[in-house]
Amino acid sequence: MNIFLLSSQVLFFGFGWLFFMRQLFKDYEVRQYVVQVVFSITFAFSCTMFELIIFEILGALETSSRYFHWKFNLYVILLVLIFVVPFYIGYYTVSNIRLLQRQKLLFACVVWFTFMYFFWKLGDPFPILSPKHGILSIEQLISRVGVIGVTLMALLSGFGAVNCPYTYMSYFLRNVTDSDILALERRLLQTMDMIVSKKKRIAMTRRQMYQRGEDQNKQTGFWGMIKSVTSSPTGSEIACDSIDPLSFFLQFSY
């Protein structure tokens, strides 16, 4: 089983090397083999730790073998992250400064010690220190790396959540051409013409309804007058019906 883990590490190392050469570093003319080696080692041991987690769930290896490879991978990754990568970054930065090229190794060490000072002081506000563990124990180093890693992952995830839609939104948008604009303008004019024609129809219908209403009001008023004259008795007829003809004749003769 140890041979299986070693062979898987070799495969992960080769895959990391090809991925770095074909994808990450394909547009750069300057080739830094130390960078390629460090990246491939980090990638290989990180994949091996993920593989060990899967083996722990499945129970594929012996407990002692998994524990040994887990501790070995942790020490290698911590060595690369805390000692090798910061020192090489400082060395490469100092090498690009012309005034410091004669003593670039010394200044690279100064940069690395400065990094280690701030790296160690980072754990003071957190409950990381414990009397059970030494200063350079694996618990002290992993706790500080975890604090830095979680903070950086939060910052990168927030930046990615905003930048990714802004960058790739154009792939989901449709390209608008001049013909599309002309077609939309024609549709808009047709829609406006339909609205105007419908408003005209509504106005004509309201006018016709208003005229019909006036005619009906005139007819009902005229026939109403005729009906009131013919149907209702006048005051003189009522008075004549109530007077006796004989008394009226006698009054008229006198």
Side-chain angles (χ1 to χ4, degrees), residues 238-249:
I238 297 173
C240 292
D241 292 334
S242 61
I243 297 173
D244 188 8
L246 181 60
S247 62
F248 179 75
F249 176 77

Side-chain angles (χ1 to χ4, degrees), residues 12 25 49 52 59 77 87 99 104 139-140 221 225 249 253:
F12 291 145
F25 213 63
M49 292 186 68
L52 288 173
I77 290 177
F87 179 79
L99 298 176
K104 55 185 179 181
E139 288 81 6
Q140 300 287 342
M225 292 175 64
F249 176 77
S253 63

